[in-house]
Structure formats: structure tokens, C-alpha cells
Amino acid sequence: MKSYKNLYAICISESNRREGIKAAKHSKRIRQIIIERHLSDDVLLALSYDWIVNFHNAEHTPITIQDGITHKIRTIIVPTLEELIVQHCVVNALKPMFYKGMYEHSYASLPKRGAHKGKKVIEKWIRHDTRGTKYVLKMDIRHFFDSVPHSILKEKLAKYIHDENMLHLLYEIIDVTDEGIPLGFYTSQWFSNWFLQDLDHYIKEELHANYDARYMDDIAIFGRNKRELHRMRMLITQYLKEHMGLELKDNWQVFLFDWNGKGRDLDFMGFRFYRKKTNLRRTIMYKASRKAKKIFSKLRPTLYDARQMLSYLGWIKSTNTYQMYEKWIKPYINFQKLKRYISKCSQLDDISIYKKLTRLYMTKGGLYGTNLCFGRKYCMSNSYGSNVNNSIFEKRHYIGRKNRYERN
């Protein structure tokens, strides 16, 4: 077991705080707050040090939202600007620990992973080893985010992190709620994936499951026979209760997976997996078709509408749902116009303008100098940073004027 020290020094370092601010500014809400407060990057960098050193959770009023087409009620906590920047700095410092030992088939809320990568892996399993994927155990953890015990999570953190200042900061973030970890905090998705690493290794190394994938608290395990999958389910239930203080939902299923015209499909990660094809989940189809009709009825769709519709197009392209697209999407949406509209708007947004302005002051001459004002008499420099003989450029300028005069 590897222990981690001096994490607090890494967290408050200038380079780490710059990365944290840069990542936090990906949120449109945070960018608007920064503009309203007239905070430059240098000011944010200076303030972020005090926010980390003197960190205390703000007073939050939980917000209840209805998630998805089924209107599932979820309670979230929206972090403030100060909290979100601190959380990004903390996660950047802890990423080596989070990635160490992370299960390769965990796909939720992780960079360079996701539902589409998980889809490709599961398709490979079910189409190359039909006998090994004859049956499926599908289960999820009951009220996972609301049920994570603070004592067990803190004990695990203290086991790996030998830095009192860092532990104090992490405990302060965790204690924003009396029980569980809050939906809406950037640290929650990393804590949850890291907290369930032990379960992933238990399923793979102790129970010897050949094919299992996890998407946050949803788990799918493939096997050759039902008896083995039932045994795994009982042992997993026991392990969760004894070691992690969690429990499985009662809606777990063990079923025959699409075998020679019998069985049924697997609904997982927003897809419906069959042996020879993959469809979109029906609720996502409904949302995409309703969004298409809503955009069609508008005189001018918003930028958010256009981006959301193109996101649905990505889901449709990666699945066998072209007939649904032809019937319910194509008659209402011109995707070429949406792409041109997004391209035009992206040239005028705050980030693009900021990048264009800063590009003028970025070094283009490599390590030793810049060529910012190319062609101007008083701004030239060679690759070593020394001034170039301006007579060359004066001569070129004179020849150009002479040629134009002769042509006239």
C-alpha cells in the first residue's frame, strides 16, 4: 500500500492553483460570476491561496431537481465560486492517489472514459464470448451518494494520506452534509469512484468475475450460469454491508441475455444491449424527439438548443437507431445549419475572444524570443532574441513600393 505525503503543499502551489482555476472556468456559471465580480486571473490566483488555507463550507440550501424524463427527484448542493476552485485544486493534488489501482472498467465521471467507451467494451464481450456472457447480473447500490458513511470514508483517507493539513481540508469538504457525499460537488464524483475501488477489486480478484463493468453505483456482471451469479450477488451484498456500510437495492436482476432468440436485452449506461445490435434507451429517444419538435417550433433556436441536439446526434450515430432518426428527428432538424450556427457563435464567445487576445502575446519564436510584429520595422527579432538589421526590411519595403509605381 502506497502512502501519500506533502499533498497540502502541492495543493496550495501556484501551478496547481492555476490548473484549478482553469478547470473551474469551464463552467459557464463560474465564468459569469467572475465577470460580475471583475476578477482577473491574477486576482483569482492570489485569492485562491487564502480560500484554501482558510477554507470553510458556506451555508447551503439544498435544491431539489427532477432528473430525466422519469422526473426522478434528486437533491443537489450548488457550490460557490470559492468552494469549486478549492475542490478543483484538491482533486488535482489527489489525482495520483485516485488513479492508483482504479478499475479499468469503471466508466462514470472519469476523463477519457464514459458511457461510449464502456459501450464498445461491452459490445466486444457479448459478441466475442457468447457462452461467457450468457447470463447477466444487474444491480445498483441503494441511495449511494446519500448513504456513504463519513466515518468509513475518512478512515480510508487517513489510511492513505499522511498529511494532517490535507486531511483537515478533506474532512471539512466531506462534512458539508451530515450524512453521505453531496451531489453537485466536484469532489463527490472522485470520492465515490475511489471509495468503490475496493468493491471492484473484490469482484474481480476474489469472486473471479470475467466480465464486469461499473458506471458509478450501477454494476453489470456477465457469467456462464445463474447459480454462480446468484452466489456473487449474495457475497457482494455481504461485503457492502460489512466493509462499506452500504446495501444493494432490491431490484437486482439475474436473467438470460439475448440467447438464440430467447432472453432479453441489458439496459445499462443509457443503452439497450442486444447480442447483435445496440439501441438507445427509450427515454433518451423520447427526449431527443421532443427536443427536435421543440426546436422546429421555434423561430430561432438558442445556442443551448443547437448544442443539445448535436449531443443527441452523437448518441444516435453510435447506436442502431437510424429508423428512429429518419422518422422523428430528420424531418424537423437540419444539422448542417445547427453546426454552422454553433461555429459562428463559438467565434464570439468569451473564451474564444480571450484566447485570440492572449495569442498575440504568446511566444512564437520558441524558447529564445518572439515574432509578434512580423514585418514591422521596429519589432523584429531573430531566433536568439537580438535585433535584426532593419535595412533588409527597409529594402523589401522600397522594392515593393517601386514595383507598384512601375505598374501604375
Side-chain angles (χ1 to χ4, degrees):
M1 183 191 72
K2 182 178 179 180
S3 60
Y4 295 85
K5 301 178 181 179
N6 303 319
L7 291 175
Y8 190 75
I10 296 173
C11 182
I12 63 175
S13 65
E14 182 177 339
S15 59
N16 185 67
R17 285 184 284 127
R18 281 189 189 279
E19 289 297 322
I21 293 169
K22 182 180 178 180
K25 288 170 72 175
H26 289 169
S27 168
K28 182 179 179 180
R29 180 179 68 89
I30 294 300
R31 293 199 301 271
Q32 289 176 346
I33 294 173
I34 291 172
I35 292 171
E36 289 172 1
R37 296 190 188 179
H38 305 287
L39 298 173
S40 65
D41 288 349
D42 293 333
V43 173
L44 278 174
L45 186 65
L47 290 173
S48 61
Y49 179 85
D50 295 329
W51 293 343
I52 297 173
V53 173
N54 305 312
F55 180 78
H56 292 287
N57 288 308
E59 294 184 3
H60 294 281
T61 301
I63 301 174
T64 302
I65 62 172
Q66 293 180 342
D67 187 23
I69 199 168
T70 57
H71 299 290
K72 185 176 181 180
I73 296 176
R74 298 184 185 275
T75 303
I76 65 171
I77 294 178
V78 180
T80 62
L81 168 67
E82 294 83 354
E83 287 175 326
L84 188 61
I85 289 178
V86 170
Q87 289 169 20
H88 276 281
C89 294
V90 167
V91 169
N92 286 342
L94 293 178
K95 274 184 180 178
M97 184 186 76
F98 287 145
Y99 279 116
K100 180 73 174 177
M102 182 173 289
Y103 182 47
E104 60 179 333
H105 297 305
S106 173
Y107 295 107
S109 303
L110 292 170
K112 298 183 180 180
R113 301 197 191 186
H116 290 278
K117 183 176 180 180
K119 165 189 165 290
K120 293 178 182 178
V121 171
I122 292 177
E123 286 176 341
K124 182 180 179 181
W125 291 347
I126 61 182
R127 291 166 193 176
H128 289 78
D129 188 1
T130 54
R131 290 189 178 275
T133 58
K134 186 177 180 180
Y135 295 96
V136 182
L137 166 61
K138 185 176 181 294
M139 54 189 174
D140 64 335
I141 300 171
R142 182 177 180 273
H143 298 307
F144 170 64
F145 280 93
D146 297 332
S147 303
V148 174
H150 286 191
S151 58
I152 298 177
L153 178 58
K154 290 178 180 179
E155 183 181 349
K156 186 177 180 181
L157 287 169
K159 183 179 178 181
Y160 287 90
I161 299 174
H162 297 166
D163 188 331
E164 293 297 328
N165 292 328
M166 193 65 180
L167 286 174
H168 176 74
L169 178 58
L170 293 174
Y171 293 167
E172 186 72 25
I173 294 173
I174 293 170
D175 290 335
V176 69
T177 55
D178 296 330
E179 186 178 1
I181 50 180
L183 279 171
F185 272 31
Y186 181 65
T187 51
S188 296
Q189 62 197 46
W190 290 91
F191 281 148
S192 57
N193 274 317
W194 182 71
F195 187 68
L196 291 175
Q197 275 186 22
D198 294 339
L199 176 64
D200 295 331
H201 289 286
Y202 176 75
I203 294 172
K204 196 70 178 178
E205 297 166 9
E206 300 294 331
L207 303 183
H208 305 290
N210 291 326
Y211 305 110
D212 71 291
R214 180 173 63 81
Y215 192 80
M216 199 55 74
D217 59 331
D218 293 338
I219 304 169
I221 304 175
F222 296 87
R224 289 176 175 268
N225 59 76
K226 283 187 175 182
R227 183 178 297 176
E228 183 65 21
L229 292 177
H230 279 293
R231 185 186 69 86
M232 287 184 183
R233 195 266 309 167
M234 293 175 63
L235 293 173
I236 290 170
T237 302
Q238 184 179 356
Y239 182 86
L240 285 172
K241 185 176 181 180
E242 294 179 357
H243 295 86
M244 309 184 80
L246 302 170
E247 59 178 320
L248 286 181
K249 271 186 182 177
D250 295 331
N251 62 350
W252 56 268
Q253 306 169 53
V254 176
F255 57 90
L256 177 66
F257 174 67
D258 195 20
W259 180 266
N260 294 330
K262 300 179 182 179
R264 57 190 177 88
D265 61 285
L266 169 65
D267 189 342
F268 189 59
M269 297 190 301
F271 301 100
R272 296 178 65 189
F273 294 94
Y274 296 84
R275 188 66 65 177
K276 295 182 179 179
K277 66 177 182 178
T278 305
N279 289 345
L280 267 180
R281 182 179 287 168
R282 190 170 299 171
T283 54
I284 298 177
M285 290 186 188
Y286 288 154
K287 289 173 70 176
S289 60
R290 290 176 184 178
K291 191 68 181 179
K293 291 180 180 179
K294 186 177 179 181
I295 291 175
F296 181 74
S297 64
K298 287 185 175 182
L299 182 63
R300 177 177 292 181
T302 63
L303 180 61
Y304 177 78
D305 291 333
R307 286 174 173 169
Q308 194 173 22
M309 202 63 235
L310 283 179
S311 176
Y312 284 126
L313 180 63
W315 283 85
I316 294 167
K317 280 185 174 181
S318 63
T319 54
N320 304 100
T321 50
Y322 185 75
Q323 290 181 350
M324 184 277 291
Y325 165 75
E326 270 197 326
K327 185 175 181 180
W328 300 107
I329 306 293
K330 193 175 181 180
Y332 303 101
I333 298 296
N334 186 331
F335 283 100
Q336 293 300 323
K337 286 186 177 180
L338 289 184
K339 288 178 181 178
R340 287 196 294 269
Y341 177 57
I342 291 173
S343 177
K344 183 179 179 181
C345 292
S346 63
Q347 296 174 5
L348 303 174
D349 65 355
D350 296 338
I351 295 179
S352 299
I353 294 172
Y354 175 77
K355 287 181 178 179
K356 288 178 182 178
L357 291 174
T358 55
R359 198 177 294 129
L360 297 173
Y361 301 96
M362 292 173 64
T363 58
K364 297 182 180 179
L367 191 63
Y368 296 102
T370 61
N371 291 327
L372 299 179
C373 306
F374 188 81
R376 293 183 183 178
K377 180 176 178 180
Y378 300 104
C379 300
M380 294 307 301
S381 60
N382 61 10
S383 59
Y384 299 98
S386 58
N387 292 329
V388 181
N389 188 357
N390 290 322
S391 61
I392 299 173
F393 304 102
E394 291 174 356
K395 185 176 180 180
R396 289 179 181 174
H397 187 57
Y398 170 74
I399 292 172
R401 282 189 299 171
K402 182 180 179 182
N403 293 336
R404 287 195 297 273
Y405 176 76
E406 291 175 350
R407 284 198 300 269
N408 294 331

